[in-house]
Amino acid sequence: MLQNSMLAKLPVIDNASKQVLAQSINDVFFAEPLFDAMPDVVFFVKDLQGNYVVVNKTLVFRCGLKDKDELLGRSAEEVFPPSLAHTYAEQDQLVLLHGHDVKDQLELHLYPDRDPGWCLTNKFALRDKDHHIIGLTGTSRDLGMPDQRHPVYHRIAAAVRHIHTHYAENVQMAELEHITNLSVAQIERYFQKIFSLTPRQFMIKVKLDAATTMLADVSRSITDIAASCGYQDHSAFSRMFKATVGMTPSEYREVSLRQKKSTNQEASPERQLT
């Protein structure tokens, strides 16, 4: 009986300790140096206007900047291509105006001085003592390499090979069950464990990986690329692409070609001699 009474008090004690510690901390952004040491994680805090208030070094470097001061006080519209910035701003407004959390959103990020990279994004509202929203904080974590040491990796790898081979089709979970001899619940759990993605997120990633590669070939139409990735409906492909990448396929093609042209110009001997 005494033990149960003590256990019931623990959350109260922990919460009280948390409040005392929170009131004693001199710098509420004490976590900033910790995120500075994480090259695979982008971290940021924005105010109600969507301007950066706190950022880590990873975000600064990926934006092609050298110092945090170059990014602080600026908005996404001032840093990213217009179509991407518009999507980021819409996402921010869902958090700032409505308090909606963004959890494990699979995104393909384009940075000015970096190759495209897949990540999982999280955004949460920051609130004052009266529970009013005063800003937001977020992270975008790079998707790492799969954990090949996981005991069921080889079974899941067989499912992955099937997804990669049949990305032009709509792979059903029943197919993956048959290939791996695992239940749907097990497949979902192991995909999350090994890849940090749900099977559906992984399938989308594979399709859009193929699509972004095809978009580099300007001779191919968007409709043709959509069909090649398993989307018979061109508009459905465009919606999925924009929801994940942040811009339409044609906008992505334009931005990618522009970035490639800029990179080639910077690397050319003629440019280096002038």
Side-chain angles (χ1 to χ4, degrees):
M1 189 75 176
L2 178 62
Q3 184 178 11
N4 290 338
S5 177
M6 292 178 64
L7 289 174
K9 291 181 179 179
L10 279 177
V12 178
I13 296 173
D14 290 344
N15 188 57
S17 300
K18 186 189 299 182
Q19 293 299 323
V20 170
L21 183 60
Q23 293 171 3
S24 303
I25 292 175
N26 180 51
D27 183 6
V28 295
F29 296 120
F30 63 89
E32 184 180 349
L34 297 176
F35 283 106
D36 281 339
M38 298 180 181
D40 62 336
V41 175
V42 162
F43 166 72
F44 53 86
V45 176
K46 296 182 180 182
D47 60 21
L48 276 175
Q49 288 70 47
N51 298 320
Y52 291 107
V53 177
V54 180
V55 296
N56 72 335
K57 292 179 180 178
T58 303
L59 178 58
V60 173
F61 296 154
R62 292 187 182 183
C63 288
L65 305 174
K66 294 182 179 179
D67 301 307
K68 292 183 179 182
D69 289 342
E70 297 179 77
L71 188 54
L72 297 179
R74 300 173 70 182
S75 65
E77 286 87 346
E78 299 174 78
V79 180
F80 297 98
S83 50
L84 269 183
H86 179 70
T87 298
Y88 295 159
E90 284 185 340
Q91 198 178 65
D92 289 350
Q93 289 306 301
L94 286 175
V95 179
L96 294 171
L97 295 181
H98 306 290
H100 295 320
D101 294 339
V102 175
K103 295 183 178 180
D104 287 336
Q105 173 68 47
L106 178 64
E107 295 179 334
L108 179 64
H109 276 193
L110 283 173
Y111 294 100
D113 288 355
R114 189 173 183 267
D115 291 335
W118 289 95
C119 66
L120 290 177
T121 294
N122 292 274
K123 291 183 181 180
F124 303 98
L126 295 174
R127 300 176 184 269
D128 62 16
K129 294 180 180 179
D130 297 319
H131 210 60
H132 296 142
I133 297 175
I134 57 174
L136 67 81
T137 185
T139 59
S140 289
R141 178 171 55 85
D142 294 348
L143 291 180
M145 296 297 291
D147 184 3
Q148 298 187 21
R149 296 169 298 177
H150 198 282
V152 296
Y153 174 81
H154 294 292
R155 289 197 197 183
I156 298 299
V160 167
R161 283 194 296 272
H162 183 75
I163 292 171
H164 275 281
T165 305
H166 298 84
Y167 68 82
E169 307 165 13
N170 291 318
V171 176
Q172 303 299 315
M173 290 299 293
E175 298 175 55
L176 302 186
E177 280 186 287
H178 177 73
I179 292 169
T180 61
N181 197 28
L182 297 169
S183 69
V184 170
Q186 288 175 312
I187 294 171
E188 291 179 340
R189 183 167 66 251
Y190 289 134
F191 259 81
Q192 193 71 50
K193 177 72 175 178
I194 296 172
F195 301 103
S196 296
L197 296 173
T198 65
R200 173 174 165 73
Q201 286 177 322
F202 190 89
M203 292 176 196
I204 292 172
K205 178 183 179 298
V206 170
K207 286 177 180 290
L208 296 189
D209 273 338
T212 54
T213 299
M214 295 178 197
L215 285 167
D217 183 357
V218 294
S219 67
R220 298 194 65 171
S221 69
I222 304 298
T223 301
D224 175 45
I225 293 173
S228 297
C229 294
Y231 293 90
Q232 300 306 317
D233 184 351
H234 170 273
S235 60
F237 168 68
S238 294
R239 285 196 301 271
M240 177 60 71
F241 195 98
K242 184 172 183 179
T244 308
V245 180
M247 60 179 71
T248 65
S250 57
E251 288 171 337
Y252 178 90
R253 170 177 276 171
E254 182 181 342
V255 171
S256 297
L257 292 175
R258 189 162 59 242
Q259 286 186 346
K260 184 177 181 180
K261 181 178 179 181
S262 175
T263 301
N264 290 340
Q265 287 177 341
E266 290 177 0
S268 66
E270 294 81 359
R271 185 178 178 86
Q272 293 174 3
L273 290 173
T274 55

